[in-house]
Amino acid sequence: KCVDISRIIKSYNENDNIILKIDIEGSEYKLLLDMIKKNTLKLIDYIAVEFHTYISPYQKVDDVFLDLIKLFF
């Protein structure tokens, strides 16, 4: 079953603490880029991600990390 994590995150109250653990075997890059695009990654209080090096050609690791750096710093 596939779910839209951004939709779930937006359903929480702004005072809630949101903790997200991601271990999705290479799809973490696509998920993080989608969350950046939907403006939901900034709603996460704590995040733990297991990054995998075997990603498909359309996923560029450098792009994800640059977007994460811009978002948090």
Side-chain angles (χ1 to χ4, degrees), residues 9-27:
I9 290 168
K10 286 181 178 180
S11 71
Y12 284 91
N13 184 304
E14 67 180 52
N15 295 323
D16 291 334
N17 288 317
I18 301 174
I19 300 170
L20 181 65
K21 179 183 176 195
I22 303 171
D23 181 7
I24 49 179
E25 307 306 318
S27 293

Side-chain angles (χ1 to χ4, degrees), residues 2-56:
C2 186
V3 298
D4 182 353
I5 193 73
S6 290
R7 191 171 131 231
I8 294 169
I9 290 168
K10 286 181 178 180
S11 71
Y12 284 91
N13 184 304
E14 67 180 52
N15 295 323
D16 291 334
N17 288 317
I18 301 174
I19 300 170
L20 181 65
K21 179 183 176 195
I22 303 171
D23 181 7
I24 49 179
E25 307 306 318
S27 293
E28 59 275 1
Y29 302 98
K30 186 175 179 181
L31 173 66
L32 290 171
L33 287 174
D34 184 63
M35 291 178 70
I36 291 168
K37 180 180 166 186
K38 292 180 178 176
N39 232 8
T40 53
L41 193 60
K42 68 180 183 180
L43 302 174
I44 305 296
D45 295 291
Y46 302 97
I47 187 168
V49 183
E50 181 178 335
F51 287 101
H52 297 85
T53 57
Y54 53 90
I55 59 173
S56 60

